[in-house]
Structures are given as structure tokens and as C-alpha cells.
Amino acid sequence: MKKKYIIAAVAGALALQVNAAEEAEAAVTEAKKELKLADVMSKPKISGYLIGNYNATFQEGKNSNTFSIRLIRLTMTGRILNEFEYKLQGQLNGNSSTFGESPRMVDMSLEWLRHKEFKVKIGQFKRPFTFENPMNPIDIGFNSQAQTVLKLAGFNDRTGEQSSSGRDIGVQVSGDLLPNSNGRSLLHYEVGVFNGQGINRKDVGNQKDVIGGLWVSPIKGMRIGGFGWIGSYARTGWWSDGMLEESGTRKVSRYRYAISAEYKDADWQIRSEYIHNTGGAFKTTANTSSDLNDCNLNGKLGDRADGVYVACVAPIIRGKLRVKARYDLYRQSGDWASAKTIYKAGVNYLFCKNLEIQTEYSLVNDRSLVNHNYSMADVQFSVRF
């Protein structure tokens, strides 16, 4: 009887050892699979932000005030083979009836990062034009980009292109060169070829835009550089020249350059850019599909525009409280009769790095209006996650 118990105990122990060995082997196999997958693709990182806004406009006969959802964005990024980086970013706000405000994809790109001196990006992403264009809208420190960036860098573009948040579809190369003794690069370049039609649209005129920039960084936090843009924006539809109606594809040219300077650290921002445009505009903004068929030109606007802004954000309590001011001039027809100047001042308070409230008061002088002067107040609340 005793032998039977001993034999049973030994058999049970052997069975447990075999099961433990099989489980250990299975765990090792699974770990190897996970390791191989991690070697190919990193775990996706999900992030995003939302911005709510209150605006009041004090204008003779046109007073208004409203709450609005300025932006809700969700982003997914990750690495493939540890040398390719992908980015997907969607925007949810507004409604579903217009190009400018409907839910849409704003970024979808893949970038090869093996060499910092020569990186290649394809897809839909920010045009390499101006310092302010690629910045996160919260980091700018104001309730919106400067007028000249909005109109001449592809946000609410002067040409009549649909709202594209400074983005287009294409391919770009970029790199950092001339590292100093601390490893900081002194020279940066970027140049891309794009459709010229803004986000989520194929090329229409079969003429690509070439956009690029070059800047130097003489000291940490400082950039001084310039940008150039050669291209066009096209529509296929109808137009009327006097009594004669015509149809087909029509283009307006975009020859632009920008001169830019910036100093930035954890709390300070000092930035200024001058942008010049040569090229016409369509009479309507492409907010709906029917607008894309309207190829009539805006002769009143002309083919010249320029603008400049100077912005400063300074700390009062580091990491918490900042004051700011901005001089913002845009001349939509390149002359003083069409000039719109906005003087802004305000305060930003950071509850934490993910939660911020931005307030500002603006004095506006718009020479295109009968009553040139009015004022605005903005409160903007932003959350990052």
C-alpha cells in the first residue's frame, strides 16, 4: 500500500514538472513573439487636446459674444523598425457640411528618421513655411495664429483654398547639420513638393508646389531663417469674363517668401515673421463642393499681400503665470488702404502642464471698414491628454 502512495506521489511530481516545463516553454515562446513584434513596431501612443473659446466683439452695430469649440484633436503616433515614425491625427469640431469645419483627417504621414541629416516624410502634414505654422496651437500662446500666417501659410488661405490648417499632401526632405561641441545642430533645412490643393484633395492643376526653409541657430533657443514657396492653387469649373462664360481648369499663382526670427525657452517666447505674397485669389472660399466649381477671380483683392507680426510671451511666475503682447499687421491687397492691425495683450495661467487658460484683449484697426476701430476679448481654455 505504501509503495502505491509513493509511486503516485512520484508520478504526480513528474506530471507537475512536465506541466511547469511546458508552461515555461510556452511563456518563453510568447515572450519571443512579443519581442519580435516590439522590434518591428512600437506600442502606439495616443494623445490629443481640446480647446474651448469665449469671444466677445465690441463693434458698432455688430456687437457679439459666443462660446465655441475651437478644436478637438486626437493623435496616434508610433515607430516601425525603430527608424520610421507614423502619425495619424483627426479633428472633430464644427459640423459635417463644410470642408473647413467638418470632422476630418488633418495628418497622415510616415517619416524615415535613420539619419538626422537627411529625413524623408511622405503623406499629409504641415507645409514647411514659417516658424509659427508647425507649432501646436496651444503653444503659440494666443487665441489664434497671426493674420499673415492664417492667410499666407495655408490656414484660411488668401487664394480661397479650403481651411487646411497649414497642411498639404506631398513629400519632404529635411535635416540638421553642423553640430557644435555640445551636439546641437547649427543649421536646419527642409524642402517639400506638394499638390497645392490643401488637405484631403488630389492635385487639380497638375502643377506641384515647392516649399522650403533654411535657418541657423547661433545660440540655444534662437532661430533665424527664411522660407520660400513657388506654386499655385487650381479649380475646375466655370467663370465669366465680361459677357463670355468659360469652363475648365483655372489657376492662381502663389509666390511667397518669409523672413523669420525666434527666441524660445521654457517660459519665454519672442518671435517675429514677415511674409510677402504675389498671386491672385478666387472670389469664393471653398467651404462646400459647389465653391470648387466657381473659378471667378477676386479682382478687387489684387495679386499682392503682405504682413508682419511681433509676439512676446514672458514669465511672471515661471511655469505658472505669463503675460503676452502681439503686434499683428496684415495688408490683404499689399497697400495701407487694406491694412488690418491687431494689438493684443493678455495673461496665460497654467494650472499644470496639461491644463491652461489664456485670456487676451485686442484693439483692432481695419482700414477696409467704414468704422475702422473696434475691440475684442477672448478667453481660451485648453486641455492636453
Side-chain angles (χ1 to χ4, degrees), residues 163-279:
S163 177
S164 294
S165 303
R167 294 167 168 85
D168 203 350
I169 304 172
V171 57
Q172 172 185 293
V173 296
S174 64
D176 296 304
L177 306 172
L178 305 179
N180 64 9
S181 58
N182 296 320
R184 182 176 58 83
S185 297
L186 303 178
L187 180 66
H188 176 87
Y189 73 91
E190 50 191 29
V191 61
V193 179
F194 300 87
N195 280 340
Q197 298 302 119
I199 61 173
N200 304 322
R201 291 199 62 217
K202 296 180 180 179
D203 199 349
V204 174
N206 296 319
Q207 177 184 336
K208 300 297 183 284
D209 286 13
V210 179
I211 310 172
L214 180 74
W215 63 78
V216 296
S217 300
I219 63 173
K220 185 179 179 181
M222 179 178 285
R223 298 188 292 173
I224 302 171
F227 299 84
W229 182 338
I230 299 174
S232 63
Y233 169 63
R235 292 182 183 176
T236 298
W238 57 267
W239 67 91
S240 175
D241 287 329
M243 299 297 293
L244 181 65
E245 287 197 0
E246 300 184 41
S247 64
T249 299
R250 200 174 198 183
K251 303 176 184 178
V252 291
S253 60
R254 282 193 282 209
Y255 299 105
R256 296 172 177 174
Y257 66 85
I259 302 170
S260 309
E262 178 187 59
Y263 175 77
K264 186 177 180 181
D265 72 2
D267 282 271
W268 280 92
Q269 281 192 60
I270 303 172
R271 184 172 57 257
S272 181
E273 300 189 271
Y274 171 79
I275 309 175
H276 184 275
N277 169 84
T278 301

Side-chain angles (χ1 to χ4, degrees), residues 335-339 367-368:
D335 56 24
W336 288 105
S338 65
R367 298 193 184 187
S368 67

Side-chain angles (χ1 to χ4, degrees), residues 75-76 85-90 104-111 121-126 167-170 199-200:
T75 306
M76 182 172 71
E85 183 175 77
Y86 65 87
K87 180 178 181 179
L88 299 172
Q89 182 169 228
R104 61 198 186 276
M105 183 68 69
V106 291
D107 286 288
M108 186 172 64
S109 65
L110 181 69
E111 186 171 16
K121 182 186 286 190
I122 60 172
Q124 179 168 287
F125 50 90
K126 287 282 191 177
R167 294 167 168 85
D168 203 350
I169 304 172
I199 61 173
N200 304 322

